[in-house]
Amino acid sequence: MKDLIIGIDLGGTTTKSAIIKTNGELLHQWTIETNTEQNGKQIIPTIIASIKQTIVEQQIAMARILGIGMGSPGAVDRSNGTVSGAYNLHWHHTEPINEQFAQAFACPFFLENDANAAALGEKWKGSGEDQANVVFLTLGTGVGGGMIVNHELVVGRHGCAGEIGHLHVTDDEEFQCTCGNQGCLESIASATGLVHLMKKLAETFKEESSLKEKVRSHQQVSVKEIFDAAKEQDVFAVHVVTEFSYYIGLACAHITNTLDPDKIILGGGIAAAGQVLLDHVRLSCERFVFPKARNKERLTLANLGNTAGVLGAAYLVLSKQKG
Amino acid sequence: MKDLIIGIDLGGTTTKSAIIKTNGELLHQWTIETNTEQNGKQIIPTIIASIKQTIVEQQIAMARILGIGMGSPGAVDRSNGTVSGAYNLHWHHTEPINEQFAQAFACPFFLENDANAAALGEKWKGSGEDQANVVFLTLGTGVGGGMIVNHELVVGRHGCAGEIGHLHVTDDEEFQCTCGNQGCLESIASATGLVHLMKKLAETFKEESSLKEKVRSHQQVSVKEIFDAAKEQDVFAVHVVTEFSYYIGLACAHITNTLDPDKIILGGGIAAAGQVLLDHVRLSCERFVFPKARNKERLTLANLGNTAGVLGAAYLVLSKQKG
């Protein structure tokens, strides 16, 4: 009986892997360093060797493995099974992935980008509650998204489905995006964007605030400090978080008026701010959502943390095998 | 062999029906008046009788019918097979539809709202070129949408997927929407919205224009007149069409950055304006789309006209039978 799946979450410094039951139960997890020496030549062979070794150690028969799934940074070419532009892995070339796995294992192998894999994980075993239509928003260095419709990942014509970070949310010309467009969500709602927004707001904010003074005197302020100050009711911090969340909520409303999904999950480093962020984003989102689609349960925080990637990679195998 | 489908497009004044091959070829079409007397009690029985009669006249064996699909105005309850709120049909009650068809025919019956049925028709046999991911935008009295992802209609958690008319596109408080929100696309891009926008723009427009004079002297101006004047390079008309299309293009960019669909099809009465509208909408959309997803072939005009509804109703049967 094929009752096990191997999920891999390839990252710039470490690679997480897991043997997962087809019901999502994590049987065994392990982490190895990602060996990026020699232009990352050893990355995939090292992962393959560690899987083979673990299977032996755990005394698991290969016949039980339904398939192997992997989430990778960079641009994934699903038809050719390659990854390009994964500079943090030192892959300055197009790395063939499926080929190496096909030579090492007889079972099917599926590749997806890491953000989409995390989205599938949260959909399956996290805050997505295994609903059919789930959108995952990562708020971190950049702003990304994963779209799941009818239990399947939507990648889009040019692989650009879920480019939520590039929804146009403001006409303020000060917010230039790295993509070349202007007013993209990412130019405000990424970590860099948030700091930019805060500095801009500090210029005109009238009330007294210790956070504002810090910003005005050019001291370094971390994202965590902003949210901590907001939790302690610093008036300027609350203003910054409200503005910041306004734009994320507006983008969530755009997604809702388009797809009316069961869940929109906020993840990534900034989502660690937790309830204070969620409350503000909800308020803004509800304001712009078509009244009949309003639903307080839709917006939620990611809850899997580090295991979203391996679980999503495993779900990828499950959904592809069904299809 | 089940090689035929019956598609029905129920409308407020007439009902179009067709016998359609499973490859989409229209074998026979006919139209009857929609009998709305006695609170629309006779509507469904009349349609059923006309189908039975046509099948006999056309000498078609019932065994060849794969199923019957119907698009209806109003709010469709897919699980109960009912329609409510279809006031133009004089149904002030919840009308049981599936029940009546099940009693009359042995083959499967599927119900969808008319906008979604038209979307499926354009996807299958119209400008959608049978691509997997197609969005249909109707620009008419209201602004509606149909979302098709992976060849299937997306209805959403509350049946609100495709509420494109309620995407927030402006912070200008003058544009109040009937839904209660402010700045919805529908408040600008519907027929009423366009006239409202034109009146607002006429107040401040500086250059000379015969269209502007008509508006300022409170003469009635039709949607067609606006686009005709734009085609003839009336400066004010061009300004109005540019502004109007800006908002539709922005909404199309939101859809693209979310789903990266193969096609976005503009339909409905206003889309009859044709190329001048398409060109302006494209210009605005491309501006806000993530660069990698830019594609001049995505935005297109509907091309089926009156047959979109019956073809889409037939496609509904096909897609449900496969699923």
Side-chain angles (χ1 to χ4, degrees):
Chain A
M1 198 180 99
K2 297 203 180 299
D3 62 337
L4 301 176
I5 305 170
I6 293 169
I8 308 163
D9 179 9
L10 172 55
T13 49
T14 64
T15 297
K16 297 171 196 74
S17 302
I19 300 169
I20 298 163
K21 287 195 185 177
T22 48
N23 68 3
E25 194 187 315
L26 283 156
L27 217 61
H28 181 73
Q29 287 178 262
W30 72 101
T31 301
I32 59 171
E33 262 179 57
T34 304
N35 180 354
T36 56
E37 284 167 28
Q38 297 174 284
N39 291 330
K41 224 185 238 174
Q42 291 307 313
I43 293 177
I44 299 300
T46 309
I47 293 172
I48 287 173
S50 97
I51 292 172
K52 289 195 166 174
Q53 190 192 331
T54 306
I55 287 175
V56 171
E57 283 171 8
Q58 298 292 314
Q59 299 183 308
I60 286 166
M62 267 312 291
R64 288 178 66 189
I65 310 290
L66 181 66
I68 302 174
M70 183 168 94
S72 166
V76 167
D77 181 328
R78 291 165 194 87
S79 50
N80 293 317
T82 61
V83 166
S84 55
Y87 304 115
N88 61 343
L89 300 176
H90 295 205
W91 285 344
H92 297 273
H93 55 284
T94 295
E95 176 79 6
I97 310 277
N98 287 29
E99 204 180 291
Q100 298 181 64
F101 276 89
Q103 277 169 16
F105 300 100
C107 65
F109 173 81
F110 301 98
L111 182 64
E112 192 42 73
N113 83 49
D114 49 3
N116 280 345
L120 286 173
E122 283 289 344
K123 171 254 188 282
W124 187 31
K125 289 292 155 187
S127 301
E129 297 172 358
D130 210 19
Q131 300 286 311
N133 304 307
V134 174
V135 176
F136 182 64
L137 225 76
T138 38
L139 305 167
T141 317
V143 174
M147 317 291 300
I148 294 139
V149 173
N150 201 12
H151 297 286
E152 282 204 57
L153 209 54
V154 182
V155 292
R157 176 85 178 206
H158 312 84
C160 296
E163 284 293 355
I164 305 306
H166 301 280
L167 284 171
H168 178 81
V169 293
T170 178
D171 291 332
D172 187 333
E173 288 173 13
E174 200 174 312
F175 293 96
Q176 289 294 331
C177 186
T178 48
C179 80
N181 289 351
Q182 172 266 314
C184 292
L185 179 65
E186 183 164 289
S187 69
I188 295 181
S190 63
T192 332
L194 172 55
V195 171
H196 180 186
L197 176 71
M198 177 179 63
K199 285 180 181 166
K200 184 177 138 70
L201 294 173
E203 289 166 17
T204 52
F205 194 75
K206 294 273 182 284
E207 291 173 71
E208 272 180 47
S209 143
S210 58
L211 181 71
K212 186 184 76 175
E213 291 318 315
K214 259 187 117 166
V215 177
R216 284 203 180 164
S217 58
H218 305 288
Q219 289 178 59
Q220 196 89 3
V221 176
S222 72
V223 168
K224 189 175 179 303
E225 273 178 88
I226 303 171
F227 283 99
D228 284 348
K231 280 177 211 165
E232 282 159 26
Q233 300 299 321
D234 177 289
V235 280
F236 177 64
V238 169
H239 180 55
V240 173
V241 169
T242 304
E243 280 287 300
F244 174 75
S245 306
Y246 168 87
Y247 295 107
I248 301 170
L250 177 59
C252 290
H254 288 338
I255 297 166
T256 302
N257 289 329
T258 305
L259 286 172
D260 186 13
D262 299 295
K263 295 283 177 186
I264 299 178
I265 305 172
L266 305 182
I270 295 180
Q275 198 63 37
V276 60
L277 173 72
L278 185 64
D279 290 344
H280 279 88
V281 173
R282 247 189 211 148
L283 212 65
S284 158
C285 179
E286 296 281 305
R287 180 174 155 197
F288 298 115
V289 157
F290 186 60
K292 201 184 145 199
R294 283 192 186 124
N295 177 344
K296 285 188 185 150
E297 308 300 313
R298 177 182 283 122
L299 261 166
T300 177
L301 296 164
N303 68 5
L304 287 182
N306 272 336
T307 57
V310 292
L311 281 165
Y315 184 80
L316 186 69
V317 175
L318 265 189
S319 66
K320 295 284 178 185
Q321 291 295 76
K322 265 189 274 181
Chain B
M1 198 180 98
K2 298 204 179 296
D3 62 337
L4 302 176
I5 305 169
I6 293 169
I8 309 163
D9 179 10
L10 171 56
T13 49
T14 63
T15 297
K16 296 171 198 73
S17 302
I19 300 168
I20 297 163
K21 286 196 186 177
T22 47
N23 67 3
E25 195 188 314
L26 283 156
L27 217 60
H28 181 73
Q29 288 178 261
W30 72 101
T31 301
I32 59 171
E33 264 179 58
T34 304
N35 181 353
T36 56
E37 284 168 27
Q38 296 173 286
N39 292 330
K41 222 186 240 173
Q42 291 308 313
I43 293 177
I44 300 300
T46 309
I47 292 172
I48 288 174
S50 97
I51 292 171
K52 290 195 164 171
Q53 190 192 331
T54 306
I55 286 174
V56 171
E57 282 171 8
Q58 298 291 315
Q59 299 183 308
I60 285 165
M62 266 312 291
R64 290 179 64 189
I65 311 289
L66 181 66
I68 303 174
M70 184 167 95
S72 167
V76 167
D77 181 328
R78 291 165 193 88
S79 50
N80 293 317
T82 60
V83 166
S84 55
Y87 304 114
N88 61 341
L89 299 176
H90 295 206
W91 285 344
H92 297 273
H93 56 283
T94 296
E95 177 78 7
I97 310 277
N98 287 29
E99 202 181 293
Q100 298 182 64
F101 275 89
Q103 277 167 19
F105 299 101
C107 65
F109 173 82
F110 301 97
L111 182 64
E112 193 41 73
N113 81 50
D114 49 3
N116 280 344
L120 286 173
E122 283 288 345
K123 172 254 188 281
W124 187 32
K125 289 292 155 187
S127 300
E129 298 173 356
D130 209 19
Q131 299 288 310
N133 303 306
V134 174
V135 176
F136 182 64
L137 226 77
T138 38
L139 305 165
T141 318
V143 173
M147 317 291 301
I148 293 139
V149 173
N150 202 12
H151 297 287
E152 282 204 56
L153 209 55
V154 181
V155 291
R157 177 85 179 207
H158 312 84
C160 295
E163 284 294 355
I164 305 305
H166 301 280
L167 283 171
H168 178 81
V169 292
T170 179
D171 291 331
D172 187 333
E173 288 173 13
E174 200 173 312
F175 293 96
Q176 290 293 331
C177 187
T178 48
C179 81
N181 290 351
Q182 173 265 314
C184 292
L185 179 66
E186 184 164 289
S187 69
I188 295 180
S190 63
T192 332
L194 172 55
V195 171
H196 180 186
L197 175 71
M198 177 178 63
K199 285 181 181 164
K200 184 178 140 68
L201 294 174
E203 289 167 17
T204 51
F205 194 76
K206 295 274 182 284
E207 291 172 70
E208 274 180 47
S209 144
S210 58
L211 181 71
K212 186 185 77 175
E213 291 318 313
K214 259 186 116 167
V215 177
R216 285 205 180 162
S217 59
H218 305 287
Q219 289 178 58
Q220 197 88 5
V221 176
S222 72
V223 169
K224 189 175 179 307
E225 274 177 88
I226 302 170
F227 283 99
D228 284 349
K231 279 176 211 166
E232 283 158 26
Q233 301 298 322
D234 178 289
V235 281
F236 177 63
V238 170
H239 180 56
V240 173
V241 169
T242 304
E243 279 289 300
F244 173 75
S245 306
Y246 168 87
Y247 294 107
I248 300 170
L250 177 59
C252 291
H254 288 339
I255 296 167
T256 302
N257 289 330
T258 305
L259 287 171
D260 186 15
D262 300 294
K263 295 281 177 187
I264 299 179
I265 305 171
L266 306 180
I270 295 180
Q275 197 65 36
V276 60
L277 173 72
L278 185 62
D279 289 344
H280 280 88
V281 172
R282 247 188 211 149
L283 211 65
S284 158
C285 178
E286 295 281 305
R287 181 175 153 195
F288 299 115
V289 157
F290 186 60
K292 202 185 144 198
R294 284 192 186 124
N295 178 343
K296 284 187 186 151
E297 308 301 312
R298 176 182 283 122
L299 262 166
T300 179
L301 297 163
N303 67 6
L304 287 181
N306 274 336
T307 58
V310 291
L311 281 164
Y315 185 79
L316 186 69
V317 175
L318 266 190
S319 66
K320 294 284 178 186
Q321 291 294 77
K322 264 189 276 182

